[in-house]
Amino acid sequence: MTDLTHSGDRLLRALRFAVEVVARRRRERPTPIVPSRNVAGRALVTTIAIMTFLASLTVGAVTLVSETAAQWQNDISREITVQIIPREGLDMEAALGAVEQVARETPGVTGAARLDDAATSRLLEPWLGEGLQLSELPVPRLVVIAIDTSEPPNFEALGQRLTEAVPQAELDDHRAWVSRLVAMANAMIITGIGVLVLVLLATALTVVFATRGAMAGNRQIVEVLHFVGARSEFIAAEFQRHFFRLALIGALFGGFGAFVLFWMMGLWTESNQARPEADQISALFGSFSIGWTGYAGTVALVALVAGLTALTSRMTVLRQLASIDMLSPVEN
């Protein structure tokens, strides 16, 4: 009888071992708390892709305006203009020569050159047509003075010396244009930052509602896990990984779409230089290239959207689990 009992125990242990081996071999990946593929998940990916695309456009536009404004400001600050108003009895050629001489003798000036008749005619051609005879019209003449940006001259002293040499000369140092340009660029940047903040806020709110919907759809599973002792951090981490994956996919799609759009716009302006609309865009924004800063900002935005989504979902789950504890407190 004893031998039979021992034989039975050995058989049971062998069967148990065989079952464990088969179970290990056939063990599948545990089913996640949140279904990885459902209609709500695809909708969230699409929403985040659209939000990231709009935010990337905002980042690119702000970068483009900032870089273009800085380029304009540098171009303007490198030159000043002297305008000579024609008056009766004024020898224009002598006046131009006097202005050039005074400018070249001023410290901080690197060069001075008058606009000849051909260049002046081209400036006035859109308004007065071709074939202008400047000698027959009281057209002001211009002298362009190049300055040293590291050590600029004293503009007030230069203007006074020019007025003493040629009373009809007027100095324009473009400070009014520079101040307006800086104000416009700052306004555009502030507006862009405001739009970016609103887009990110809308994305966070969308994630909150999506997380609540996912918890509502899996409420029984979440409550059972929570009541049997699963820590809130574990449940929150499951939702965080799920929504981080969805947000990363959507953000990558949105950022890639913005990359393609900026690349196509740059390619279009380069291939249509002769057309008026392309010339206007090039005059405002150059080659319509956002540069490496714009692309780096878009990449950082993709990471920010994914991280913000994961953090928002985690905080939402922890808050929901805390409300469950308030209704039916248990010790984790």
Side-chain angles (χ1 to χ4, degrees):
M1 185 68 179
T2 304
D3 295 336
L4 182 60
T5 302
H6 288 302
S7 299
D9 291 339
R10 287 195 295 270
L11 180 60
L12 288 176
R13 287 196 296 268
L15 289 176
R16 190 179 297 113
F17 178 77
V19 170
E20 291 177 356
V21 171
V22 172
R24 283 198 297 268
R25 291 182 178 179
R26 295 184 177 181
R27 184 175 299 164
E28 297 180 355
R29 187 177 180 179
T31 303
I33 298 176
V34 187
S36 58
R37 294 182 180 180
N38 52 29
V39 177
R42 290 192 292 269
L44 182 61
V45 170
T46 304
T47 302
I48 292 179
I50 295 174
M51 294 294 186
T52 307
F53 177 75
L54 296 177
S56 300
L57 291 184
T58 304
V59 171
V62 169
T63 303
L64 187 63
V65 170
S66 178
E67 293 180 352
T68 305
Q71 182 179 358
W72 288 350
Q73 185 175 354
N74 292 332
D75 292 342
I76 292 176
S77 61
R78 283 196 294 263
E79 293 181 349
I80 58 177
T81 305
V82 177
Q83 179 180 246
I84 302 177
I85 307 298
R87 293 289 188 269
E88 185 177 354
L90 175 66
D91 187 352
M92 184 60 70
E93 292 298 325
L96 291 172
V99 169
E100 290 179 344
Q101 182 178 359
V102 170
R104 292 192 179 100
E105 294 174 353
T106 302
V109 174
T110 59
R114 71 183 73 179
L115 291 183
D116 55 14
D117 293 347
T120 305
S121 298
R122 286 195 297 270
L123 290 176
L124 299 175
E125 186 175 317
W127 294 273
L128 301 180
E130 300 179 356
L132 294 178
Q133 297 296 329
L134 298 182
S135 59
E136 301 176 359
L137 297 173
V139 178
R141 302 297 297 276
L142 300 178
V143 177
V144 179
I145 300 175
I147 64 176
D148 186 359
T149 56
S150 59
E151 297 181 0
N154 187 333
F155 295 111
E156 294 182 0
L158 176 59
Q160 184 177 359
R161 293 182 59 190
L162 290 172
T163 303
E164 293 174 355
V166 181
Q168 295 81 6
E170 296 180 358
L171 176 65
D172 184 6
D173 58 5
H174 309 305
R175 280 182 289 186
W177 291 100
V178 171
S179 61
R180 294 176 184 177
L181 180 62
V182 171
M184 180 198 70
N186 291 335
M188 292 289 292
I189 292 174
I190 293 174
T191 303
I193 293 175
V195 172
L196 181 61
V197 171
L198 290 177
V199 171
L200 293 178
L201 181 60
T203 303
L205 292 176
T206 303
V207 173
V208 169
F209 289 117
T211 305
R212 290 180 177 178
M215 289 193 67
N218 301 272
R219 184 177 183 85
Q220 294 180 348
I221 300 176
V222 172
E223 290 183 349
V224 168
L225 289 174
H226 189 55
F227 291 147
V228 298
R231 297 180 61 85
S232 300
E233 289 76 9
F234 168 76
I235 301 175
E238 290 293 320
F239 281 87
Q240 180 179 343
R241 281 194 293 268
H242 172 75
F243 283 100
F244 177 78
R245 181 171 59 253
L246 295 180
L248 184 60
I249 295 173
L252 287 175
F253 275 109
F256 180 75
F259 280 177
V260 172
L261 179 61
F262 282 119
W263 176 76
M264 292 179 63
M265 287 296 297
L267 185 63
W268 181 81
T269 53
E270 290 179 1
S271 60
N272 295 274
Q273 292 293 337
R275 297 184 180 182
E277 56 271 18
D279 291 340
Q280 293 176 2
I281 295 178
S282 298
L284 290 174
F285 305 108
S287 60
F288 207 86
S289 175
I290 61 175
W292 69 269
T293 54
Y295 290 107
T298 303
V299 173
L301 180 63
V302 170
L304 177 62
V305 169
L308 179 64
T309 302
L311 180 62
T312 303
S313 64
R314 181 181 183 86
M315 294 177 62
T316 303
V317 172
L318 292 176
R319 190 177 297 111
Q320 292 292 105
L321 293 176
S323 64
I324 295 176
D325 289 336
M326 292 179 63
L327 296 177
S328 178
V330 295
E331 294 183 359
N332 289 337

